[in-house]
């Protein structure tokens, strides 16, 4: 039995199917609600129930405390409706945010490529066009794995039928282990999307700065190619870091883009090059290279950060010391179930993005 959900302050009412979560129903209706882990662990999707009855389901007692439940709060990614319900959500309007309702797709694996010893490129052919904004991600279901896993889209929105994922193998990771060991060309999978609130602020003045490490390259690659395809002439800088040469992938591809587009500057960096790498480029961690490249002055930029948490933390500190502030810095924000417990460790200066 379905119920009606009214979302304030938007004043919009949508239908929610039995056992469908508040978050899933909203996203499929083209209504964005703040969210991150989607596992009931990070509390980003917390909303206030002002009328009606809900079931909390798998919401973590650490993400949703007992007194918050008593006050009528719930986690939208877990809560289902037991009656018609009205919620109050903290929804920020952004002139650059595009609305792309979440949909389900069937996908066929058409290409697999080893990028590094720990990263694999997966190209999927979809059964319909996926409309999305550069920087967003999809949820991918894998055989015999209960929960879907989130992966950033590395292709630009202009490639809507064939999508690219760049998957780092997580030690002990059930899903990434499957992708690296068992996934084969011709396999069929199910996915849903798009998700996420990570995108380029096109209406804002200033230059674009992307800082990425490892497979954090996926979203910046999508965003940069999209900017270039749209004819954006403002300066675009990508500083991309890896430990040594074997882990620096898509280098030739990015160098070719930099040669083709004069507004795009590509700065690869190795933090720990090996003797056999014959590396003649810059060395150091991403934040160190960025600091030297811009002489510790990042004013006039919008910065987009993608990579492992230690890299993000170091880049945040460097950018803020270099006169860039919260309103100018954006981070990719989707978390695995394993990572979600660490979500509250991010800087208190930053609200949920």
């Amino acid at each position: 039995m379905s119920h009606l959900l009214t979302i304030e302050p938007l004043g919009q009412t949508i239908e929610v199917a039995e056992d469908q979560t508040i978050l899933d129903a909203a996203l499929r209706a083209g209504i964005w609600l703040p969210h991150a882990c989607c596992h009931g662990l990070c509390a980003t999707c917390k909303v206030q129930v002002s009328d009606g009855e809900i079931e909390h389901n798998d919401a973590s007692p650490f993400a949703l405390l007992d007194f918050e439940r008593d006050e009528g709060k719930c986690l939208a990614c877990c809560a289902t409706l037991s009656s018609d319900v009205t919620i109050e959500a903290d929804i920020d309007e952004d002139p650059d945010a595009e609305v792309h309702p979440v949909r389900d797709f069937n996908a066929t694996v058409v290409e697999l490529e080893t990028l590094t010893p720990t990263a694999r490129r997966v190209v999927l052919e979809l059964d319909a066009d996926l409309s999305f904004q550069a920087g967003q991600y999809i949820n991918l279901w894998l055989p015999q794995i209960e929960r879907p896993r989130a992966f950033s889209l590395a292709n630009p929105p202009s490639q809507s039928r064939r999508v690219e994922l760049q998957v780092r193998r997580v030690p002990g990771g059930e899903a990434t282990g499957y992708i690296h060991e068992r996934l084969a060309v011709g396999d069929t999978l199910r996915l849903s999307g798009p998700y996420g609130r990570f995108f380029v602020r096109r209406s804002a003045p200033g230059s674009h700065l992307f800082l990425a490490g490892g497979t954090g390259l996926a979203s910046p690659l999508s965003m940069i190619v999209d900017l270039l395809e749209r004819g954006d002439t403002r300066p675009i800088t990508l500083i991309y870091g890896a430990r040594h040469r074997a882990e620096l992938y898509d280098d030739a591809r990015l160098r070719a883009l930099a040669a083709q587009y004069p507004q795009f500057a590509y700065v690869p960096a190795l933090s720990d090059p090996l003797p056999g790498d014959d590396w003649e480029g810059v060395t150091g961690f991403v934040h160190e290279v960025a600091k030297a490249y811009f002489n510790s002055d990042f004013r006039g930029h919008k910065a987009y950060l993608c990579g492992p948490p230690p890299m993000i933390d170091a880049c945040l500190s460097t950018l803020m010391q270099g006169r860039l502030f919260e309103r100018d810095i954006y981070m990719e924000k989707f978390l695995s179930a394993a990572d979600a417990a660490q979500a509250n460790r991010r800087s208190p200066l930053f609200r949920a993005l």
Side-chain angles (χ1 to χ4, degrees), residues 19 55 72 98 125-126 134 139 159 167 171 173-174 194 211 231 248 261 269 291 309 314 318 322 337 343:
D19 296 328
E55 293 290 337
E98 299 176 6
E125 185 81 25
L126 306 184
N139 277 340
Q159 299 172 13
V167 181
E174 184 181 21
L211 304 179
L248 188 75
Y261 296 96
K291 182 177 181 179
T318 297

Side-chain angles (χ1 to χ4, degrees), residues 187-248:
D187 286 354
T188 57
L189 302 171
R190 182 166 61 94
L191 63 85
S192 64
Y195 298 95
R197 195 75 163 178
F198 187 56
F199 54 87
V200 175
R201 269 61 181 182
R202 298 182 189 278
S203 66
S207 304
H208 309 293
L209 171 60
F210 296 89
L211 304 179
T215 51
L217 177 64
S219 287
L221 184 59
S222 174
M223 298 160 90
I224 290 167
V225 173
D226 186 47
L227 284 169
L228 296 174
E229 287 181 348
R230 290 172 179 257
D232 195 308
T233 59
R234 287 174 290 179
I236 305 169
T237 304
L238 168 64
I239 299 178
Y240 173 48
R243 287 185 300 172
H244 45 78
R245 189 66 184 83
E247 294 184 345
L248 188 75

Side-chain angles (χ1 to χ4, degrees), residues 284-302:
F285 293 104
V286 170
H287 68 285
E288 297 170 334
V289 174
K291 182 177 181 179
Y293 189 86
F294 288 98
N295 196 26
S296 300
D297 189 350
F298 300 99
R299 288 176 295 178
H301 287 86
K302 293 292 183 183

Side-chain angles (χ1 to χ4, degrees), residues 107-115 119-126 138 140 142 151-155 159 162-168 175-176 178-187 189 191 215 218 249-250 253:
T108 302
V109 180
V110 295
E111 182 182 336
L112 294 169
E113 179 187 354
T114 298
L115 297 173
R120 197 177 202 193
R121 192 192 319 276
V122 179
V123 180
L124 304 172
E125 185 81 25
L126 306 184
I138 54 93
L140 183 69
L142 295 163
F151 297 105
S152 294
L153 292 158
N155 55 291
Q159 299 172 13
R162 180 172 288 208
V163 303
E164 176 185 340
L165 314 177
Q166 299 173 352
V167 181
R168 178 181 69 90
T176 61
Y178 183 97
I179 289 172
H180 278 256
E181 294 177 5
R182 301 173 59 185
L183 193 66
V185 171
D187 286 354
L189 302 171
L191 63 85
T215 51
Y249 66 89
D250 276 354
R253 180 181 183 182

Side-chain angles (χ1 to χ4, degrees), residues 4-242:
L4 297 180
L5 173 69
T6 300
I7 302 172
E8 299 293 357
L10 300 179
Q12 292 184 248
T13 299
I14 61 175
E15 186 173 352
V16 182
E18 186 175 5
D19 296 328
Q20 185 179 26
T21 67
I22 290 173
L23 179 62
D24 185 66
L27 295 177
R28 290 178 183 275
I31 299 172
W32 182 83
L33 295 179
H35 62 282
C37 76
C38 296
H39 299 306
L41 298 172
C42 74
T44 305
C45 65
K46 192 176 298 179
V47 296
Q48 178 72 46
V49 178
S50 57
D51 187 52
E53 301 293 329
I54 57 97
E55 293 290 337
H56 290 288
N57 299 311
D58 294 330
S60 164
F62 299 100
L64 187 67
L65 301 176
D66 288 342
F67 79 87
E68 292 178 308
R69 296 173 191 244
D70 294 340
E71 291 175 350
K73 292 182 173 62
C74 73
L75 300 185
C77 73
C78 296
T80 55
L81 306 191
S82 301
S83 69
D84 292 348
V85 167
T86 299
I87 63 170
E88 297 176 10
D90 183 13
I91 301 174
D92 291 332
E93 296 290 337
D94 193 302
D96 294 303
E98 299 176 6
V99 176
H100 298 284
V102 169
R103 298 168 54 205
D104 295 316
F105 299 86
N106 293 316
T108 302
V109 180
V110 295
E111 182 182 336
L112 294 169
E113 179 187 354
T114 298
L115 297 173
T116 77
T118 59
R120 197 177 202 193
R121 192 192 319 276
V122 179
V123 180
L124 304 172
E125 185 81 25
L126 306 184
D127 61 348
D129 290 337
L130 169 62
S131 177
F132 70 98
Q133 187 167 11
Q136 291 189 293
Y137 66 92
I138 54 93
N139 277 340
L140 183 69
W141 277 263
L142 295 163
Q144 301 177 350
I145 297 177
E146 180 181 1
R147 286 180 172 175
R149 298 302 194 271
F151 297 105
S152 294
L153 292 158
N155 55 291
S158 60
Q159 299 172 13
S160 57
R161 186 63 69 98
R162 180 172 288 208
V163 303
E164 176 185 340
L165 314 177
Q166 299 173 352
V167 181
R168 178 181 69 90
R169 180 162 189 171
V170 178
E174 184 181 21
T176 61
Y178 183 97
I179 289 172
H180 278 256
E181 294 177 5
R182 301 173 59 185
L183 193 66
V185 171
D187 286 354
T188 57
L189 302 171
R190 182 166 61 94
L191 63 85
S192 64
Y195 298 95
R197 195 75 163 178
F198 187 56
F199 54 87
V200 175
R201 269 61 181 182
R202 298 182 189 278
S203 66
S207 304
H208 309 293
L209 171 60
F210 296 89
L211 304 179
T215 51
L217 177 64
S219 287
L221 184 59
S222 174
M223 298 160 90
I224 290 167
V225 173
D226 186 47
L227 284 169
L228 296 174
E229 287 181 348
R230 290 172 179 257
D232 195 308
T233 59
R234 287 174 290 179
I236 305 169
T237 304
L238 168 64
I239 299 178
Y240 173 48

Side-chain angles (χ1 to χ4, degrees), residues 242-247 270-281:
R243 287 185 300 172
H244 45 78
R245 189 66 184 83
E247 294 184 345
L270 299 183
S271 61
D272 190 21
L274 301 175
D277 284 343
D278 296 324
W279 181 249
E280 297 180 354

